[in-house]
Amino acid sequence: VQLQAFGGGLVQAGGSLTLSCAASGRSFSSSTMAWFRQAPGKEREFVAAIGRDTRHADSVKGRFTISKDNAKNTVFLQMASLKPEDTAIYYCAARWSTVVATTLEAYAYWGQGTQVTVSS
């Protein structure tokens, strides 16, 4: 099972960016897929997840939207109104349950991460 994240880059504050994470090796239709992020010097934190329902961290609610294309085994993170504090490496993750979880330990599979930098 492999997860590969795409779409990071440099964007100005207030701008938008969409991340993608493609999964291979197994169908993720009965799974929860999530995004976490880790800023320099900080712990990795939950951003959003989609399984039988969706959940977003309070810090991104109303700005970020997670979605999933089961046919393509791909999860997306649409990010809008980006702020400098959103700067981080963004990781996608997956777990074999449709119950949404927000902790790192709940996810068995991780992608390599993609850098998002928001300039002020």
Side-chain angles (χ1 to χ4, degrees), residues 16 76 104 107 119:
S16 301
F76 304 96
L104 279 72
Y107 291 85
S119 63

Side-chain angles (χ1 to χ4, degrees), residues 4-118:
Q4 193 164 13
F6 302 92
L10 174 64
V11 63
Q12 289 188 331
S16 301
L17 207 58
T18 297
L19 305 182
S20 302
C21 176
S24 60
R26 177 172 171 172
S27 171
F28 280 78
S29 59
S30 297
S31 69
T32 293
M33 297 186 76
W35 290 95
F36 289 77
R37 67 185 181 186
Q38 187 166 18
K42 295 188 177 181
E43 294 185 350
R44 194 170 300 189
E45 65 177 5
F46 172 77
V47 176
I50 183 167
R52 64 177 63 168
D53 57 356
T54 61
R55 197 170 303 176
H56 296 80
D58 288 343
S59 59
V60 306
K61 275 182 184 175
R63 300 188 299 120
F64 291 12
T65 302
I66 189 170
S67 61
K68 187 179 172 189
D69 185 335
N70 286 329
K72 296 183 179 180
N73 264 3
T74 301
V75 64
F76 304 96
L77 185 68
Q78 295 175 283
M79 305 184 293
S81 302
L82 283 160
K83 304 175 182 179
E85 50 264 44
D86 295 318
T87 295
I89 299 174
Y90 283 71
Y91 297 90
C92 60
R95 64 192 300 258
W96 302 127
S97 169
T98 59
V99 176
V100 171
T102 62
T103 62
L104 279 72
E105 296 75 15
Y107 291 85
Y109 299 96
W110 291 84
Q112 84 287 3
T114 184
Q115 176 72 48
V116 172
T117 303
V118 184

